[in-house]
Amino acid sequence: APKNDPAIFALALAAAAEDTATRTAALAALPKVCRTGTHLFQFAETIDKLRGWGRGLRRGVAGWYAGQEARALAYQLVKYRQRDGWTHTDTLRLAHPTPENDTKGALYRWVTHRDDAAWAQGETTPEDAAQAFIWAFERAQKATSVEEIIELIARYDLPREALPTQWLNERAVWEALLARMPLTALVRNLGVMSKVGLLAPMSDAERKVIERLRDTRALRKARLHPLAILIAQRTYANGRGLRGGNQWTPATRVIDALDDAFYLAFDAVEPAGKRTLLALDVSGSMSMGMVAGVPSLTPRDTSAAMALVTARTEPEYHIVGFTTSLLPLNLSAGMRLNDAVSAVTGLPFGGTDCAQPMLYALEKEMKVDTFVVYTDSETWAGSIHPSQALARYRQETGISARLIVVGMVANKFTIADPNDRGMLDVVGFDTAAPQLINDFARGDLG
């Protein structure tokens, strides 16, 4: 699944099935799908509305805890403490897992009976690594100085979620967190780090952030899609968050590093490996409004960015622009994003006809496996419906081509024939959409 929420929901449905084998298989898969405490709480909230907590469900949730190594479990208990009205206290009391060792037993008692966990409140650090992590978390809740918080972060690798909120306005605290912060978290917290003054010009922190953003290997390991980095860059450069009232003064060199990261991240994209015709709506409305799911980008920006991703990653592709007519676009893998946006701006076209790419491919006798259409909200303004044009292309070429239509503004529209497994409508667009599109193009979905 491009996002885990649908997978968790599907797992809960399977775990509530009448068929015993289905329920058993679903609960056995629980640790694979619910990889964090947050996921487990989402599952608990969903399953709680579907069925009661019988022996099988309790055993399945107990297995989630039993499958965790003690230090990793301590991290889960601290970082992911609650979600959807659920806590580890709730799930542990329902599941009653049997601890495999004394350390696991101590962790369970700390969650369910804090009064019995004197080691967590004591002055002496426990020798066991898992218990020491819990001890450090408890010490952080009572800390009275920045120096104490920094020492706990450095010695026990406490994450941001383990710290009381009053310390998250301290520059020195964020500097300590930055030392071992995962790259995805770093990108997500750039605004906060600038707000507290950590990313000052020519500072060590700014240099460290820039180096990590330009680390191709780290970008590949983090599996950050270029679109996610582009969204982060636009949001950071705007100097204000998409939600809430956070504001900051962006660092110019960090903005430049994010721009470089956008292109470096192309190496992490898994191509569909199909002959792809990418059709971009170039009508004037593409420069108006924001993409649903990506408020910092216009449909034109997003479609141009995805065109560059396609050009850089797919072995066989062709890119065209369309409205009521169509022409090839001079977009190449080596282009910068600003140049790509300029290339699809100011072209003299009219309405929007999503059948044009299939008709064009027929006319030019092109062999296409996947048609991908990016538009804002207008999706059909021609004499033949896109689904009919696709059927005609399949019939005349013998190719079982697929069609993906992305309506990025998310107005109500329907292009795909619900009886055609080779057609997909994408309503809105976010960082999960590119993976979904590639999976569908490969035939892994649908």
Side-chain angles (χ1 to χ4, degrees):
K3 285 187 175 181
N4 213 35
D5 292 11
I8 293 170
F9 181 73
L11 186 72
L13 288 178
E18 293 184 4
D19 178 64
T20 302
T22 301
R23 292 199 307 272
T24 301
L27 292 171
L30 183 60
K32 296 180 181 179
V33 178
C34 297
R35 298 180 298 276
T36 70
T38 293
H39 296 158
L40 180 66
F41 299 148
Q42 288 179 261
F43 173 82
E45 174 65 10
T46 305
I47 197 72
D48 197 52
K49 296 176 180 177
L50 298 173
R51 55 165 288 184
W53 282 73
R55 184 169 56 184
L57 179 56
R58 295 174 191 273
R59 188 165 52 243
V61 173
W64 187 92
Y65 287 97
Q68 302 271 346
E69 182 272 328
R71 175 59 175 78
L73 177 60
Y75 185 84
Q76 292 285 332
L77 297 177
V78 164
K79 183 171 182 179
Y80 308 102
R81 297 196 293 279
Q82 60 180 352
R83 177 69 181 268
D84 293 332
W86 288 79
T87 67
H88 287 289
T89 303
D90 301 320
T91 48
L92 281 171
R93 287 178 174 172
L94 283 167
H96 296 298
T98 301
E100 313 92 82
N101 52 54
D102 291 342
T103 297
K104 281 284 192 75
L107 296 182
Y108 295 161
R109 286 192 299 276
W110 174 73
V111 173
T112 57
H113 300 88
R114 292 290 178 93
D115 293 341
D116 294 341
W119 55 267
Q121 305 290 340
E123 293 296 322
T124 305
T125 310
E127 293 184 4
D128 180 85
Q131 293 184 29
F133 186 80
I134 299 296
W135 178 88
F137 166 73
E138 292 283 11
R139 297 289 292 187
Q141 310 316 301
K142 302 173 183 177
T144 58
S145 68
V146 171
E147 291 75 20
E148 187 176 0
I149 289 290
I150 291 172
E151 182 181 358
L152 291 169
I153 293 171
R155 181 173 296 183
Y156 301 100
D157 196 19
L158 289 181
R160 174 186 61 83
E161 293 83 357
L163 307 181
T165 55
Q166 68 264 28
W167 300 115
L168 296 178
N169 292 318
E170 298 288 343
R171 170 178 171 172
V173 169
W174 280 99
E175 187 170 16
L177 290 170
L178 178 60
R180 284 184 275 187
M181 188 180 295
L183 186 57
T184 302
L186 182 151
V187 171
R188 189 169 56 243
N189 287 294
L190 287 172
V192 177
M193 289 190 284
S194 284
K195 181 181 178 181
V196 300
L198 180 60
L199 303 184
M202 302 182 71
S203 64
D204 288 343
E206 183 193 54
R207 175 184 51 78
K208 184 178 295 185
V209 165
I210 290 171
E211 287 176 354
R212 295 192 62 192
L213 288 173
R214 289 176 172 151
D215 185 338
T216 305
R217 182 178 298 177
L219 289 166
R220 187 182 300 114
K221 183 178 179 181
R223 298 180 64 112
L224 278 168
H225 193 276
L227 181 68
I229 296 174
L230 179 61
I231 295 169
Q233 187 213 35
R234 294 295 176 88
T235 303
Y236 179 72
N238 285 340
R240 60 185 305 127
L242 298 178
R243 301 179 183 88
N246 276 346
Q247 297 187 33
W248 57 83
T249 300
T252 303
R253 294 179 64 222
V254 173
I255 295 174
D256 291 342
L258 284 167
D259 185 63
D260 292 341
F262 169 73
Y263 300 99
L264 292 172
F266 288 164
D267 290 341
V269 176
E270 182 182 0
K274 299 295 183 179
R275 297 169 294 189
T276 304
L277 192 150
L278 188 65
L280 310 184
D281 180 355
V282 293
S283 61
S285 61
M286 289 286 284
S287 62
M288 304 173 189
M290 296 288 112
V291 175
V294 190
S296 55
L297 296 176
T298 67
R300 194 178 304 286
D301 292 335
T302 306
S303 63
M306 291 307 300
L308 292 185
V309 172
T310 297
R312 192 74 67 91
T313 60
E314 294 298 340
E316 293 185 77
Y317 70 92
H318 185 57
I319 303 175
V320 297
F322 77 97
T323 53
T324 51
S325 56
L326 184 148
L327 87 168
L329 293 173
N330 186 25
L331 298 179
S332 66
M335 265 187 166
R336 305 294 289 185
L337 180 57
N338 287 343
D339 295 330
V341 172
S342 296
V344 296
T345 301
L347 299 177
F349 283 128
T352 303
D353 183 1
C354 291
Q356 284 297 314
M358 284 71 74
L359 299 178
Y360 171 83
L362 274 174
E363 179 186 347
K364 300 297 183 181
E365 299 182 349
M366 296 177 63
K367 296 180 179 180
V368 178
D369 297 311
T370 306
F371 296 91
V372 184
V373 177
Y374 285 98
T375 180
D376 49 357
S377 58
E378 298 298 331
T379 51
W380 179 35
S383 58
I384 180 173
H385 193 277
S387 62
Q388 295 173 314
L390 178 65
R392 178 178 164 189
Y393 179 84
R394 290 169 173 168
Q395 182 177 7
E396 295 189 19
T397 64
I399 300 172
S400 299
R402 294 187 163 220
L403 171 62
I404 303 162
V405 178
V406 184
M408 291 182 285
V409 174
N411 290 6
K412 293 181 179 180
F413 79 93
T414 300
I415 290 292
D417 180 346
N419 297 315
D420 189 334
R421 296 174 64 88
M423 298 182 68
L424 176 70
D425 288 335
V426 179
V427 184
F429 201 78
D430 63 10
T431 54
Q435 178 192 326
L436 186 148
I437 289 171
N438 274 10
D439 288 348
F440 186 80
R442 280 192 298 269
D444 295 339
L445 300 175

